[in-house]
Amino acid sequence: MNFSAKDLAAMIPPSFTLGVATSAFQIEGALDEDGRGPSGWDVFAAKPGAIVDDHSPVVACDHYHRMPQDVALMKELGIDSYRFSLSWSRIQPGGSGPVNPAGLDFYDRLLDQLLASGISPTVTLYHWDTPLPLDEAGGWMNRDTAYRLGEFAAIAAAAFGDRVARWVTVNEPATVTTNGYALGLHAPGESLLLKALPSVHHQLLGHGLALQALRAANVPGEVGITNVYSPMIPASSNPLDKLSSGLMDVAQNRLYADPVLTGKYPDVIRAATFFTSFSPSAADMALISQPLDFYGLNYYMPTRVAAGPGEGAVPPGMAEAMGDDLSGSAPGAPFHITPFPDAETTAYGWPIKPEYISVALAEMAERYPNLPPVFITEGGASFEDVVVRDRAADRILIPDERRLRYLAEHIATALEATAPGGAAESVDLRGYYVWSLLDNFEWSAGYKQPFGLLHVDFETLERTPKASYYWLQELLAARKEADAGAAASAIREPSGAGQAAAEAPAVGEASGLTGEPDPVP
Ligand code: FCB
């Protein structure tokens, strides 16, 4: 597949949003500053062995102090939209009760600077960093946390509602339940296995209450939820592998999408009520399935599933990357994830299979006839980057062609799939957000899995654009040029005020470099 920036730019409809994404806990640092309260992740990450090499999130990318510079880099990139999350603990340190004005002030400045830079803000209310007092009271196992999220949404709506283009209530509840409550790999570190089911329902209820609060505040922005979606592929035609893949599909995809888009949990899950105290009322289901303005879908990879207990719940490459012995992390699970025999993988061990973004979109269209407009709210890849010092030209280059190719192929495939005649032509695909603007604190994998368009040196905190940044800049500039000639009546988001990539090296230039490659720590 051809992935030149100009060719891809020509495929992108004028109204399509191209964005970059981050989350508060992964980039901000400044955990003890200006009245921020602790979050469950502060405590989890401080436990010896919880994070690879015991990396600490205390400073992260220091975005809290470097926000103006980071927004300037986005403006230069020329991006349409920035998706970031609010640190609940910075705004409402106790998770309930009083609001911290300094917390509101930080996001006020961020929003104002984004708008002044022509970048449209997409705000995630909850991206996993639950305030510690709520985690101590049971976190998402406690129904009360859902009401607290509704209350937090009302605070955010009142403070920022006038400036936010798009709201994501909850990010990837599947990951919170699986990693945080079932397997103990993320905060709050619970290993409840099937007994984690109430955390699903309470997060979805939190989504419903947050959505209700945003609508009650009459925010002009669009409101949606973000679920991760991974097509499940049986390892063979063996009926047991097929059954296993179907079960994984329920556990990771349908469990979270069905209630939101159809108002019902999958039948298999309703049968599991027998094992738990999980019994949702009709009123809860109505809240969870309120109409959405858009559906956020995070797509990274497909998952290959085989019957039998296997080595653990996490693919071996990924387990290694996380520095954990995860074997037995899903004791007794009747199926396991197994690598694709033919796939190139990212540094995380995640299979790179762009054709499956089309499968994901097609499955969503088939399953959910009333699917609202879709944004791919995250997509990207971690690779160990190499810093090349071009001494002659006195500059540093980071030739991350594999990341650039990942992004190009996934964006192109998603656009083709949703164009007339494509496998998912009925999906109204509105945009794609690259994960991530910056290399950052990748949860249990610490700083070992860089996803950024900008390299971050975690000692000096210096940001350096990678080849993927320049490629995206060129693409955005080319699209802007093409749009300038197009009908003036096209409705679109404010396009990034970034300048053309006049000084950006073409991607191919990286290969002609002089100087020694330095592996990035
Ligand atoms: C997603 C998360 C995001 C980041 C990427 C790599 O599951 O939403 O915070 O960790 O994966």
Side-chain angles (χ1 to χ4, degrees):
M1 181 179 286
N2 190 333
F3 52 84
S4 93
K6 286 216 168 66
D7 289 348
L8 190 53
M11 289 176 68
I12 299 180
S15 57
F16 192 83
T17 296
L18 279 171
V20 289
T22 64
S23 87
F25 192 75
Q26 294 178 271
I27 64 168
E28 284 182 4
L31 302 186
D32 292 327
E33 280 180 56
D34 297 339
R36 179 189 180 276
S39 81
W41 260 99
D42 299 23
V43 173
F44 180 77
K47 283 188 194 146
I51 310 296
V52 69
D53 293 347
D54 289 333
H55 284 174
S56 160
V58 167
V59 176
C61 305
D62 196 32
H63 171 74
Y64 187 70
H65 299 115
R66 291 161 197 258
M67 179 271 283
Q69 181 198 348
D70 291 338
V71 178
L73 283 161
M74 281 189 263
K75 181 174 172 181
E76 241 174 87
L77 177 58
I79 207 76
D80 299 325
S81 179
Y82 174 44
R83 174 179 173 228
F84 61 96
S85 77
L86 304 176
S87 158
W88 187 347
S89 303
R90 211 178 275 298
I91 292 176
Q92 194 182 30
S96 60
V99 167
N100 171 30
L104 290 178
D105 181 58
F106 173 72
Y107 296 106
D108 262 329
R109 287 184 285 118
L110 170 57
L111 286 166
D112 288 347
Q113 199 182 327
L114 287 171
L115 291 174
S117 307
I119 301 167
S120 134
T122 292
V123 168
T124 307
L125 288 172
Y126 178 74
H127 199 128
W128 306 358
D129 44 352
T130 316
L132 184 61
L134 300 187
D135 258 359
E136 285 174 342
W140 289 110
M141 292 300 286
N142 182 349
R143 185 178 168 93
D144 182 64
T145 301
Y147 292 92
R148 301 287 70 78
L149 183 64
E151 188 178 286
F152 178 59
I155 294 168
F160 312 129
D162 55 337
R163 285 160 290 168
V164 175
R166 195 163 299 118
W167 298 87
V168 173
T169 52
V170 176
N171 177 72
E172 291 193 9
T175 311
V176 172
T177 290
T178 304
N179 287 357
Y181 289 88
L183 301 177
L185 302 170
H186 280 183
E190 300 285 349
S191 303
L192 301 170
L193 302 175
L194 264 189
K195 293 205 173 73
L197 274 178
S199 73
V200 177
H201 185 64
H202 297 149
Q203 287 185 87
L204 295 180
L205 182 62
H207 151 73
L209 292 164
L211 190 147
Q212 192 180 46
L214 291 166
R215 292 256 159 84
N218 274 320
V219 293
E222 300 173 344
V223 186
I225 184 174
T226 281
N227 274 320
V228 62
Y229 191 96
S230 182
M232 297 297 165
I233 316 300
S236 77
S237 55
N238 178 319
L240 282 179
D241 285 348
K242 285 190 180 169
L243 178 69
S244 303
S245 150
L247 286 172
M248 267 295 270
D249 186 31
V250 169
Q252 290 300 300
N253 296 322
R254 301 200 87 125
L255 177 53
Y256 302 89
D258 282 16
V260 170
L261 296 170
T262 72
K264 268 173 53 187
Y265 281 99
D267 291 341
V268 175
I269 293 299
R270 284 186 285 156
T273 306
F274 177 72
F275 297 104
T276 67
S277 58
F278 172 63
S279 181
S281 68
D284 281 7
M285 297 315 290
L287 271 171
I288 290 171
S289 59
Q290 292 167 89
L292 303 172
D293 299 316
F294 70 93
Y295 189 83
L297 197 140
N298 290 353
Y299 173 86
Y300 287 92
M301 62 186 149
T303 304
R304 187 163 179 261
V305 189
E311 303 237 314
V314 180
M318 181 166 163
E320 205 177 284
M322 293 168 76
D324 264 333
D325 173 14
L326 296 170
S327 52
S329 57
F335 48 78
H336 65 282
I337 296 171
T338 184
F340 285 87
D342 55 340
E344 198 191 328
T345 56
T346 69
Y348 234 147
W350 294 359
I352 304 174
K353 291 207 161 264
E355 63 276 23
Y356 281 95
I357 198 170
S358 161
V359 174
L361 290 161
E363 285 181 356
M364 288 297 295
E366 193 191 315
R367 289 176 186 185
Y368 309 111
N370 298 325
L371 185 66
V374 171
F375 285 85
I376 308 282
T377 37
E378 283 178 32
S382 65
F383 290 108
E384 199 182 319
D385 291 312
V386 169
V387 175
V388 179
R389 290 175 212 286
D390 180 351
R391 293 198 177 87
D394 189 25
R395 61 180 180 174
I396 292 179
L397 290 179
I398 302 171
D400 63 336
E401 267 75 18
R402 284 179 300 173
R403 180 175 294 104
L404 180 169
R405 196 172 68 223
Y406 178 100
L407 294 171
E409 291 181 348
H410 283 76
I411 295 170
T413 307
L415 286 169
E416 275 171 7
T418 51
E425 63 177 336
S426 67
V427 175
D428 178 2
L429 183 65
R430 299 268 174 99
Y432 186 100
Y433 287 80
V434 175
W435 185 273
S436 180
L437 174 68
L438 300 154
D439 291 346
N440 60 44
F441 182 78
E442 179 44 37
W443 310 111
S444 331
Y447 300 102
K448 282 238 162 126
Q449 298 298 329
F451 280 83
L453 299 170
L454 293 167
H455 172 258
V456 177
D457 177 325
F458 287 101
E459 279 176 13
T460 64
L461 297 166
E462 198 185 329
R463 280 83 163 126
T464 307
K466 304 180 190 176
S468 54
Y469 173 98
Y470 291 123
W471 168 82
L472 188 57
Q473 187 181 51
E474 194 188 328
L475 188 161
L476 289 156
R479 192 194 60 170
K480 211 170 163 195
E481 236 169 70
D483 288 0
S489 60
I491 304 161
R492 54 176 298 168
E493 297 198 347
S495 68
Q499 64 238 26
E503 288 174 42
V507 167
E509 256 182 56
S511 50
L513 294 168
T514 57
E516 295 299 301
D518 300 338
V520 179

